[in-house]
Amino acid sequence: MNNIKIKAWLENHPHPLINQIVLLEEVFWVNPKLQSFHTALENCPLALNDVLEAEARLQRFAPYIAKVFPETQGTNGIIESPLLKISNMQELLEHEYEHEIFGELWLKCDSHLPISGSIKARGGIYEVLKTAEDLAIKRQLLTTEDDYSILDSDQFRSFFSQYSIAVGSTGNLGLSIGIMSAKLGFNVTVHMSADAKQWKKDLLRSKNVTVIEYASDYSKAVEEGRQQAEADPDCHFIDDENSRDLFLGYAVAAIRLKNQLDQSGITVDENHPLFVYLPCGVGGGPGGVAFGLKLIFQEHVHCFFAEPTHSPCMLLGLMTGLHDKIAVQDIGIDNKTAADGLAVGRPSGFVGMLIEPFLGGNYTVSDEQMFKLLKNLADTENIYLEPSALAGMIGLVKLCKQGSDYLQQHQLTNKVSQGTHIVWATGGSMVPKEEMDNYYRKG
Ligand SMILES: *Cc1c(COP(=O)(O)O)cnc(C)c1O
């Protein structure tokens, strides 16, 4: 649909929040299409087995990962991040927003994932590994029984150099795909949108990754990348708008989180709800993690996506039901935000349709607020994140302040004080110090 058709469509399908969204006001939206877990799962194209299969594949690669990325030796080649309790930040939020926060606040530090320092070290790296495994098994160079550390050899690097991998990205996905693909020996091209930071491009080029820059936004970079890759049968295009493998790589996070919660003595059950706040760009990262969490905790987990007021693409897609048929630009929103990981104007239709019956809701947050929270978190917990990664932080305040309908509907009003909030910190540990100092000053 073009702009004019979208405008006409919206006039015929009025939605009370649209005006506020157009005015770039922060909103909190409860998803009316949330279904009971079992009903939602019945109609879903993916299931727990698919996620377990992805986890088993990552286990097969662990000896290789430990060998070529020594920073993962402590976890035996498993790429995982800490879960930290952040009580000082919780206190600050209560004070700052003048509202009691029921339950306990934890931070899932994907910002500190090894190799590429963002949530993309889950899905992105997983899809590259799966591509490599498929190729090597097909050519009978590898079996699933092998010790995959043999992939660290000139023979395999030379084999993979016959193939290429391409991706379109606002930055972090490019980092993950670029670093992992180059390590295996693939030829790799990253198509970067205008928002992508210079240091990310420099870092990739230093690792022999081809970086192509575009003056336009993410959707255009993906489109160009897809077209160029289609012309080459030996090129695998990692399609961030549409990839089952990326999605499953992200979903594995839930299995790992379950273990971390057990180790930290945190119960999730009927009387101890879990609330998770996930920054959302095109949707794959938060969608995959949320889907995995629903598979494991079912009715007891409540997932919310967070987007910048200038890039509320998933909110718009879900709220209108138009998914990838609508972009923020269609309603006059500019998709300009300092939260570069979230600077996406059109959501993934694949993710939107899949996650719709599982998702609690969605809210927007201003750039100003993200910078303020960035500084607050640094001051209270000495943890430094990139702006995108702070979008989740305000979710619990919004839920406690504006989410009473949701809490009532799910009979949570009296249980939330025994619950746990997890803010998904999606990136930041690789941001150069100078850049981080700038962010901090803005807050
Ligand atoms: C990519 C990214 C996200 C969101 O992931 P999507 O798959 O694009 O929705 C959130 N935060 C950071 C820092 C990211 O890089």
Side-chain angles (χ1 to χ4, degrees), residues 52-73:
L52 294 174
E53 212 176 274
E55 166 67 348
R57 182 167 287 109
L58 290 168
Q59 295 284 350
R60 289 199 288 279
F61 272 97
Y64 168 75
I65 297 289
K67 192 165 174 210
V68 298
F69 296 109
E71 68 266 38
T72 65
Q73 274 167 8

Side-chain angles (χ1 to χ4, degrees), residues 49-90:
N49 257 344
D50 298 302
V51 184
L52 294 174
E53 212 176 274
E55 166 67 348
R57 182 167 287 109
L58 290 168
Q59 295 284 350
R60 289 199 288 279
F61 272 97
Y64 168 75
I65 297 289
K67 192 165 174 210
V68 298
F69 296 109
E71 68 266 38
T72 65
Q73 274 167 8
T75 51
N76 297 319
I78 294 298
I79 302 165
E80 200 38 73
S81 73
L83 176 68
L84 300 178
K85 190 171 165 183
I86 48 170
S87 327
N88 296 336
M89 183 66 182
Q90 179 166 359

Side-chain angles (χ1 to χ4, degrees), residues 118-120 172 240 250 279-286 341-342 344 386 388-389 426-427:
S118 82
I119 189 171
K120 308 297 194 308
N172 285 340
D240 197 19
Y250 289 120
C280 179
V282 72
L342 312 181
V344 177
E386 62 185 274
S388 299
T426 45

Side-chain angles (χ1 to χ4, degrees), residues 83 106 256-267:
L83 176 68
W106 292 70
R256 312 271 182 77
L257 184 73
K258 166 82 171 92
N259 289 334
Q260 287 182 318
L261 289 170
D262 289 346
Q263 280 160 16
S264 307
I266 299 172
T267 308

